[in-house]
Amino acid sequence: MAVIPLERKPLTFAERTYLPQIAFGLKTTLRHLVTPKETLEYPEQRPEIPAGYRGVPTLVKDPNGREKCVSCQLCEFVCPPKAIRITPGEIAPDDPTAHVEKAPQEFEIDMLRCIYCGLCQEVCPEEAIWLQNQYTMSGYTRAEMVNNKERLYELGGTLPDDHFKWDKKKSAEEQGNAH
Amino acid sequence: MIQPAKPDLVTVNVDGKEIAVPKGTNVIEAARLVGVDVPHYCYHPKLSIVGNCRMCLIEMGMPAVDPATKQPVMDPATGKQKINWIPRPQIGCGTNASPGLHIRTNSPLVKDCREGVMEFLLINHPLDCPICDQAGECKLQEQATGYGRGYSRFIEQKNVKPKRTQLGPRVTLDDERCILCSRCIRFSKEIAKDDVLGFIDRGSYSTLTCFPGKQLENNYSLNTVDICPVGALTSTDFRFKMRVWFLKQTNSLDTETSVGANTVVWSREGAIYRITPRRNDEVNDTWMPDSGRIAFKQVAAPDRLKTSDALDVLIARAADLLKAGSVAVVGSGRSSVEEQFLTRKLAAAVKATVALVSRTGQGDNLLISADRNPNVRGALVTGLVATLPEAKLTALAAAIDAGQVKTVISVGEDLVAAGLTAAQLAKVSVIYLGTHANATSAAAKVVLPTLTVFEKSGSFVNQQFRIQKFSKAVPGLVGATDDLVVLSRLVAAAGGAAQPADLPGLWTLIAAEIPALAHAAHAKLPETGLLLDAAPWASLPFVEGETLHFKPAATAAVASSQ
Amino acid sequence: MDFSFYFDLPLWIRTALQGIAVIAVLFPISAACSMAERKVAAWVQGRPGPNRAIVPWVAPIPFLGRFLQRLGVFQLMADGGKFVFKEDVIPGHVNKFYYYIAPLLALIPALTTVTVVPFGAYWDAAANTLKPLILADLDVGLLAVFAISSLGVYSIIIAGWASNSKFPFLGSVRASAQLISYELSMTLSVLPVFLWVNAPGGNGTLSLFDVVQTQSEPGFLGGMWYLFLMPLSAFIFLVALFAETNRQPFDMPESESDLVGGFHTEYGEFKWSLFFVAEYAHMLVGSGVFTLLFLGGWNPLPWVPLAPLIEGLPVWLGGVIGIGVFLGKVFVAIFFFMWVRWTLPRFRYDQVMKIGWQKLLPLSIANLIFYALAIALIETR
Ligand code: SF4
Ligand code: SF4
Ligand code: SF4
Ligand code: FES
């Protein structure tokens, strides 16, 4: 390894008294003293959430109000800290979405475990779970920090849908290629 | 596959590797022997071959022979015999090994064929994977990943077929997912001998259905769910309960009869979700009865016995009862070999005779035998009893009436069902070891809750005198104790020598005391079990008739007909 | 105004009243200083600082409430309350008696020195002269300040020793070494001032009031603050003051980055806050002394003495003006302390020793010789 000796200039007398540097430093801090503050005063002021932000994972409905999750449990499987817990269930035959057959009976995300990695959103074949803009989760008990299905839909709301896969399926079933 | 009994081996060449296989082995099995996977759907080793899925296409060739001289034609380039490759692909399942057969499973042609077949199969496939119970153990998923094209060129509308058809009480059919392999049809016809399934319509409209007015309701219907390579046939009970990739598999046994069908218990976090058969060509092939698949429900049944008392307290209470002397022990043909061994020790310690209760029913010549106790032969081998059990405990009843018995220890047997009256029970103190509440547990002075077969490990001896092991699938219920612990504590309480309560310790003892079991230690038992020598009990009149891999011994038949 | 009724009171009541007054004034000012410290730190770092705490009965006041909240005034109350109500944790390995007594000892010199520092002046019409506002007008003035404030280091040493663990002990050892090193330069640096104040032949005095008086005389030299007359003395005194009060860049005894918390590592809750109050009290007294010695005391501007301004005013108003001017200068000095703290990094311990013994001490001796000669020259002319 090549060693390059750098010559260190001896300090001048003024430098050795520290005083000019101190004065310079005082000037700098004085300037900062009067410049506007950088702080974002959090609860009142909120940062702008950039697109693609990974906030609290939520469940969403499609524009027709159908719950998109079919409880395939892929998110439960992929979730690295095992934050997701799903109880799968069958949709009642008299339900308008009975052709989807499967929906979660219970869906819990333990936000004390969640690491906001977004893998659940990535893996979801139904585009039902989204990490949206919500970034604050707080509670007084552990139980409060577990988002159940109801809360997840409340947080998630409705997102636009590009496919309407199940609606297409239903219309195909009704008038489509059956014989 | 290579059985020494069949010496007529033929040598085939799979992807350049030579292997000797028995004559008649098909290409799929031959390739499996050299570690080559030939993807297939309709072929099933225990069913007839129909060759209708075309997934197993391979290239084959035979050594060239000069038609005129019948002399081998040599290839000058390699110096070996020339191979005449058939220019069209052949199905592997329907091609049997013949001398000199050459197979190619990795040629471009084969790859093209597989991609083509996969594309056809997927054209009308609904891509239900997110809601399909088969996902994770679906051959279509596996082969599409391994051999598929990877993208779809199909932009037309897919076929629509009936979904959610109830084929029978336990089986739900989704026709859109069916790839028409006919495995289920062949199983019903050939194995279950209940020919109720068939295809209707033609071409891409072909649909699996039940014959009119029929239902898939035989006691083996769920085997169609197991063998269906896709998610077309699903178990109504297991439907939408849990994805299979979360389930832990534990090897176990079907305990409803003395056949001892090998099973796998699928559980997650202490809850069992389903039971499926485990292949054992000597016992149950790849099948099991439907009735055995719901056995796990007893684990979480509301009438499970449990206690909040400490085991020490209960054992102390039992010890008080035992002090009075005049004890009778009722053992069980449903206890494991290890438990029966300890029961024998217990009987010796309290100087009691042991009675066993027999349970019989109609056999179905397949996997349900007439003897509904899974381990009567275990009781014989361990020396717990020397004769076959009786249906009613008449001797015990008489002894109670005569006042010769003060205390009865019942190892999981309902004494009321076994013929004792309530009045007789009231005369004695009953110590009951068991899993579920019944008339005897209600009458018992001391109830010692124990574990079900899914919560403990052990071994059973089936009707062939094959000792097979089962393993603990889920943790034991809180408030119940392992039978072995309870029995060994009871032996100690009765003043007997201290007995080990763990399997390794117990097996050292068993191996030392029972020569027949010297090599059957639980830890070393192969998954397919170990045949014991049945000769010492050949003269006993066992009740079983013929089942899948069991023929009653002639002497037994004679004995039972007498 | 006649204060005679006050002087008619029995001595013990007067003493008690004065003591209470000192505590009542010094504690809030020290607390306010700690708040100011946090605010200055925040502002220097581009933050708003504490600005949330509010008491319910102030919140509705339209503008003022909000202003006080943003200023963080009530944070003070919150912090004070927190210190009082916090659990009293005592490490198991300490020497309990000395552990408890150390923070109290820290307060004694801090509060005592205040008594000999004049904090204002009023015009005594009867005597036709300016009288100092001071709790104990001792002739030894500055000497008393030096003598008593040096005792403050004992509390640090005791705290460090009683804590019975390494870091506090190191901190307290450093504190004593540092005190000795800088005490010399500090004393030497003020000697020229008193050489100048005590004209040969006159009555010798060390009174701080007299020092201010000599800065309020007519004429160019007479009205000039000693900061301008003896800048080197002022500089040495200031540096030594930083070191004596353990302020950055000389806060060796605390030195969080290498000693965790220095001498008060094992202290918490109210005991810790007493150390804090003592530190600020030291700073306050130090700033006051600096103001008196070099910044003209209560004289509003150089060459503008206080006396002629308040001569005609009511006594109380004159006193208030005098106190106001004096406190204004003290606060500027304190702000300077804070400003420096949030600007400079801490010196290394060896650098602190080097500066003290090899730089500051020779410099102050040279300074003394120079002024002694100069004053001798001027006076004998
Ligand atoms: S959220 Fe998506 S991945 Fe998770 S269970 Fe529902 S459908 Fe499956
Ligand atoms: S964001 Fe990551 S950690 Fe959180 S629930 Fe989804 S997969 Fe789990
Ligand atoms: S239901 Fe399953 S087993 Fe039966 S034909 Fe269809 S794919 Fe084959
Ligand atoms: S496995 Fe050979 S054709 Fe289906």
Side-chain angles (χ1 to χ4, degrees):
Chain A
M1 201 168 57
V3 176
I4 305 170
L6 288 181
E7 193 158 337
R8 200 165 172 186
K9 267 194 291 170
L11 298 178
T12 62
F13 176 75
E15 280 167 346
R16 267 185 290 142
T17 61
Y18 300 128
L19 293 180
Q21 278 68 32
I22 291 177
F24 189 77
L26 288 173
K27 201 181 100 201
T28 306
T29 43
L30 191 65
R31 200 179 61 239
H32 280 283
L33 196 72
V34 292
T35 45
K37 306 301 165 227
E38 310 281 349
T39 307
L40 191 76
E41 296 198 25
Y42 163 64
E44 296 90 17
Q45 299 170 351
R46 301 276 176 139
E48 203 173 302
I49 307 289
Y53 182 79
R54 300 201 306 251
V56 172
T58 63
L59 289 179
V60 302
K61 301 198 166 169
D62 79 354
N64 300 333
R66 181 185 70 80
E67 66 171 307
K68 292 176 92 173
C69 173
V70 298
S71 63
C72 72
Q73 295 182 286
L74 283 178
C75 49
E76 179 172 359
F77 182 67
V78 81
C79 178
K82 300 195 191 308
I84 303 181
R85 195 38 58 111
I86 300 169
T87 313
E90 190 159 6
I91 299 179
D94 51 352
D95 195 283
T97 60
H99 64 291
V100 187
E101 297 187 63
K102 210 178 162 192
Q105 243 170 44
E106 190 40 85
F107 197 121
E108 286 177 346
I109 304 185
D110 188 343
M111 294 314 296
L112 293 171
R113 285 180 155 246
C114 175
I115 55 172
Y116 299 82
C117 63
L119 286 183
C120 49
Q121 173 177 344
E122 180 126 359
V123 82
C124 179
E126 300 286 332
E127 301 185 348
I129 192 165
W130 288 83
L131 278 74
Q132 299 194 45
N133 289 355
Q134 162 98 16
Y135 53 86
T136 47
M137 276 290 301
S138 52
Y140 290 103
T141 60
R142 279 170 182 276
E144 255 176 83
M145 296 301 288
V146 178
N147 286 338
N148 62 11
K149 182 176 155 183
E150 197 187 337
R151 176 119 179 79
L152 287 170
Y153 277 117
E154 197 180 297
L155 288 171
T158 300
L159 282 191
D161 194 332
D162 292 337
H163 317 297
F164 292 102
K165 152 179 165 185
W166 290 100
D167 293 352
K168 284 182 194 152
K169 192 147 189 163
K170 188 171 196 181
S171 68
E173 224 168 276
E174 276 157 8
Q175 70 246 327
N177 243 356
H179 57 103
Chain B
M1 285 299 112
I2 302 168
Q3 286 152 355
K6 278 199 206 163
D8 44 345
L9 297 180
V10 295
T11 303
V12 297
N13 182 307
V14 181
D15 290 341
K17 280 178 235 144
E18 305 256 316
I19 176 128
V21 299
K23 206 165 181 195
T25 310
N26 71 8
V27 165
I28 294 182
E29 295 296 345
R32 184 175 293 165
L33 289 180
V34 291
V36 172
D37 177 42
V38 177
H40 56 271
Y41 293 111
C42 69
Y43 167 68
H44 187 281
K46 301 292 172 190
L47 298 175
S48 62
I49 287 166
V50 288
N52 59 2
C53 74
R54 316 311 284 181
M55 189 63 199
C56 61
L57 291 172
I58 42 103
E59 259 190 286
M60 72 179 254
M62 295 300 279
V65 180
D66 188 333
T69 60
K70 308 279 183 231
Q71 286 302 308
V73 180
M74 302 307 279
D75 184 348
T78 59
K80 289 190 185 147
Q81 196 172 8
K82 204 172 154 220
I83 306 297
N84 282 337
W85 290 99
I86 299 178
R88 291 180 296 115
Q90 307 291 313
I91 52 169
C93 60
T95 305
N96 285 346
S98 55
L101 178 68
H102 278 62
I103 312 286
R104 278 207 289 237
T105 69
N106 50 10
S107 65
L109 175 69
V110 172
K111 185 169 178 288
D112 278 355
C113 290
R114 288 172 180 170
E115 280 183 7
V117 171
M118 274 315 297
E119 189 165 29
F120 276 128
L121 286 176
L122 290 176
I123 271 185
N124 279 312
H125 189 76
L127 299 185
D128 268 346
C129 304
I131 57 163
C132 176
D133 276 331
Q134 189 82 357
E137 52 182 12
C138 174
K139 286 281 175 245
L140 209 52
Q141 282 183 335
E142 281 171 28
Q143 321 294 34
T145 312
Y147 310 106
R149 167 185 297 280
Y151 60 94
S152 169
R153 298 186 291 180
F154 186 72
I155 50 165
E156 292 80 7
Q157 227 182 353
K158 295 197 180 215
N159 258 348
V160 175
K161 286 187 194 174
K163 293 179 93 78
R164 303 182 284 291
T165 313
Q166 285 294 328
L167 279 190
R170 291 176 292 278
V171 181
T172 308
L173 167 69
D174 187 321
D175 265 313
E176 282 185 354
R177 299 178 193 156
C178 173
I179 58 164
L180 307 166
C181 71
S182 83
R183 273 181 174 189
C184 52
I185 300 176
R186 279 174 284 149
F187 173 82
S188 302
K189 195 156 149 186
E190 295 163 13
I191 309 291
K193 310 265 186 321
D194 181 25
D195 194 5
V196 293
L197 294 176
F199 293 135
I200 53 167
D201 294 327
R202 301 189 349 179
S204 58
Y205 293 125
S206 288
T207 305
L208 175 77
T209 187
C210 259
F211 294 167
K214 291 276 182 61
Q215 269 202 322
L216 181 61
E217 57 188 352
N218 63 62
N219 195 26
Y220 293 88
S221 64
L222 282 171
N223 288 300
T224 60
V225 173
D226 296 331
I227 58 174
C228 179
V230 296
L233 294 171
T234 52
S235 156
T236 309
D237 180 52
F238 180 62
R239 194 170 151 87
F240 300 158
K241 285 277 166 32
M242 189 50 64
R243 306 321 296 263
V244 291
W245 52 73
F246 288 121
L247 300 176
K248 180 185 80 168
Q249 301 173 36
T250 313
N251 287 350
S252 188
L253 297 171
D254 181 10
T255 57
E256 41 172 358
T257 71
S258 61
V259 172
N262 292 198
T263 62
V264 178
V265 176
W266 303 68
S267 61
R268 183 184 188 197
E269 291 171 0
I272 302 177
Y273 285 87
R274 67 171 182 182
I275 299 177
T276 58
R278 172 162 54 97
R279 181 167 175 173
N280 185 342
D281 290 336
E282 312 300 323
V283 178
N284 58 324
D285 288 350
T286 57
W287 324 120
M288 76 175 285
D290 289 2
S291 44
R293 299 189 192 232
I294 50 170
F296 70 87
K297 308 224 161 168
Q298 53 167 292
V299 175
D303 59 345
R304 265 307 283 277
L305 289 176
K306 56 181 168 220
T307 175
S308 49
D309 293 338
L311 183 63
D312 290 336
V313 177
L314 295 176
I315 294 287
R317 256 185 247 158
D320 280 346
L321 295 179
L322 293 181
K323 266 196 212 107
S326 312
V327 182
V329 174
V330 179
S332 175
R334 292 188 293 196
S335 298
S336 69
V337 169
E338 297 82 358
E339 290 155 21
Q340 286 168 340
F341 178 78
L342 280 183
T343 311
R344 201 188 93 187
K345 293 280 176 199
L346 176 62
V350 297
K351 299 180 194 62
T353 52
V354 180
L356 234 56
V357 183
S358 79
R359 239 177 239 96
T360 50
Q362 186 67 42
D364 66 359
N365 295 348
L366 199 47
L367 292 174
I368 299 280
S369 68
D371 185 354
R372 300 297 162 88
N373 275 333
N375 201 20
V376 169
R377 285 163 180 79
L380 295 172
V381 175
T382 52
L384 181 64
V385 290
T387 56
L388 287 185
E390 307 280 336
K392 300 285 174 208
L393 296 168
T394 38
L396 180 61
I400 292 176
D401 287 336
Q404 293 158 345
V405 172
K406 289 206 197 105
T407 308
V408 179
I409 303 175
S410 168
V411 185
E413 291 293 354
D414 184 359
L415 303 177
V416 177
L420 296 194
T421 61
Q424 283 165 335
L425 271 194
K427 275 199 216 156
V428 292
S429 314
V430 177
I431 299 172
Y432 183 70
L433 286 70
T435 53
H436 291 76
N438 55 27
T440 308
S441 74
K445 289 262 168 26
V446 179
V447 174
L448 294 155
T450 56
L451 302 181
T452 64
V453 70
F454 303 103
E455 298 160 313
K456 61 190 181 189
S457 300
S459 31
F460 286 132
V461 180
N462 82 348
Q463 57 185 359
Q464 308 161 328
F465 276 93
R466 175 183 297 274
I467 181 165
Q468 311 188 96
K469 65 176 172 184
F470 61 93
S471 305
K472 175 175 180 167
V474 292
L477 183 77
V478 175
T481 319
D482 193 323
D483 304 58
L484 297 178
V485 175
V486 174
L487 285 168
S488 78
R489 295 288 303 270
L490 275 180
V491 173
Q499 303 292 328
D502 60 315
L503 287 177
L506 207 48
W507 271 102
T508 334
L509 204 63
I510 296 176
E513 290 193 16
I514 304 169
L517 293 174
H519 303 293
H522 185 272
K524 298 209 203 80
L525 216 50
E527 289 300 342
T528 50
L530 190 75
L531 265 186
L532 303 175
D533 181 15
W537 296 279
S539 58
L540 287 179
F542 291 109
V543 293
E544 288 101 335
E546 185 175 341
T547 57
L548 188 61
H549 285 287
F550 175 77
K551 286 207 183 0
T555 48
V558 171
S560 61
S561 64
Q562 281 163 356
Chain C
M1 198 193 276
D2 191 5
F3 288 116
S4 58
F5 75 92
Y6 175 75
F7 294 104
D8 292 342
L9 288 171
L11 181 67
W12 67 269
I13 294 188
R14 272 168 34 209
T15 321
L17 281 178
Q18 286 175 0
I20 290 169
V22 168
I23 291 175
V25 172
L26 214 57
F27 259 77
I29 292 186
S30 300
C33 280
S34 76
M35 194 67 245
E37 177 104 55
R38 290 174 66 180
K39 277 305 228 194
V40 169
W43 289 336
V44 165
Q45 293 164 355
R47 298 184 281 118
N51 62 354
R52 289 297 157 130
I54 182 104
V55 285
W57 57 87
V58 179
I61 306 175
F63 177 76
L64 187 69
R66 176 93 181 125
F67 175 75
L68 291 179
Q69 184 192 18
R70 302 290 296 175
L71 208 58
V73 171
F74 305 105
Q75 186 70 38
L76 219 62
M77 298 167 65
D79 285 354
K82 187 187 77 172
F83 280 133
V84 174
F85 291 113
K86 245 181 159 179
E87 187 190 350
D88 191 14
V89 182
I90 304 155
H93 50 71
V94 300
N95 180 324
K96 285 236 180 63
F97 178 72
Y98 291 110
Y99 178 77
Y100 269 115
I101 216 161
L104 298 177
L105 282 183
L107 275 186
I108 293 174
L111 298 183
T112 314
T113 43
V114 183
T115 55
V116 297
V117 176
F119 49 87
Y122 66 96
W123 185 257
D124 190 347
N128 200 24
T129 160
L130 202 63
K131 284 272 178 71
L133 281 166
I134 190 168
L135 291 172
D137 190 4
L138 299 182
D139 200 38
V140 289
L142 187 68
L143 215 50
V145 174
F146 282 171
I148 299 170
S149 72
S150 309
L151 294 180
V153 78
Y154 280 106
S155 77
I156 294 182
I157 292 171
I158 290 175
W161 179 80
S163 290
N164 189 17
S165 76
K166 293 188 191 95
F167 290 135
F169 187 69
L170 283 176
S172 60
V173 168
R174 285 182 181 188
S176 43
Q178 186 175 321
L179 187 95
I180 293 169
S181 314
Y182 285 83
E183 191 84 33
L184 286 172
S185 331
M186 190 182 216
T187 320
L188 288 179
S189 73
V190 296
L191 283 185
V193 173
F194 286 93
L195 283 180
W196 182 249
V197 170
N198 296 301
N203 259 348
T205 179
L206 283 174
S207 158
L208 289 165
F209 176 68
D210 292 341
V211 173
V212 180
Q213 285 301 77
T214 56
Q215 296 179 65
S216 341
E217 282 161 9
F220 179 74
L221 272 185
M224 187 189 254
W225 293 356
Y226 290 145
L227 176 66
F228 307 115
L229 197 62
M230 306 169 186
L232 198 56
S233 283
F235 172 71
I236 295 171
F237 184 82
L238 193 63
V239 172
L241 194 59
F242 271 98
E244 294 280 287
T245 50
N246 298 331
R247 293 286 301 183
Q248 207 109 316
F250 294 100
D251 63 341
M252 286 300 116
E254 279 184 52
S255 192
E256 304 90 349
S257 47
D258 48 339
L259 291 188
V260 187
F263 67 94
H264 60 54
T265 304
E266 307 284 355
Y267 282 86
E269 72 301 318
F270 198 65
K271 298 192 289 301
W272 183 84
S273 69
L274 288 184
F275 278 123
F276 222 70
V277 167
E279 183 185 329
Y280 280 108
H282 270 302
M283 208 164 92
L284 208 62
V285 173
S287 305
V289 171
F290 184 75
T291 307
L292 294 169
L293 288 179
F294 296 105
L295 293 182
W298 38 82
N299 296 328
L301 288 171
W303 299 288
V304 184
L306 180 73
L309 293 181
I310 60 170
E311 217 166 314
L313 296 176
V315 170
W316 64 268
L317 188 58
V320 167
I321 292 178
I323 294 177
V325 171
F326 176 74
L327 279 186
K329 288 183 185 176
V330 168
F331 286 142
V332 168
I334 287 179
F335 170 74
F336 184 73
F337 269 91
M338 294 172 183
W339 184 15
V340 168
R341 171 168 179 186
W342 297 106
T343 303
L344 297 186
R346 177 180 298 124
F347 283 120
R348 258 189 350 249
Y349 186 63
D350 63 319
Q351 289 172 328
V352 171
M353 287 293 113
K354 216 175 194 154
I355 291 171
W357 291 105
Q358 296 188 357
K359 305 270 162 64
L360 231 43
L361 188 59
L363 199 61
S364 54
I365 293 174
N367 181 49
L368 176 61
I369 294 172
F370 171 77
Y371 279 104
L373 291 178
I375 291 168
L377 259 170
I378 292 173
E379 301 277 334
T380 51
R381 213 178 18 175

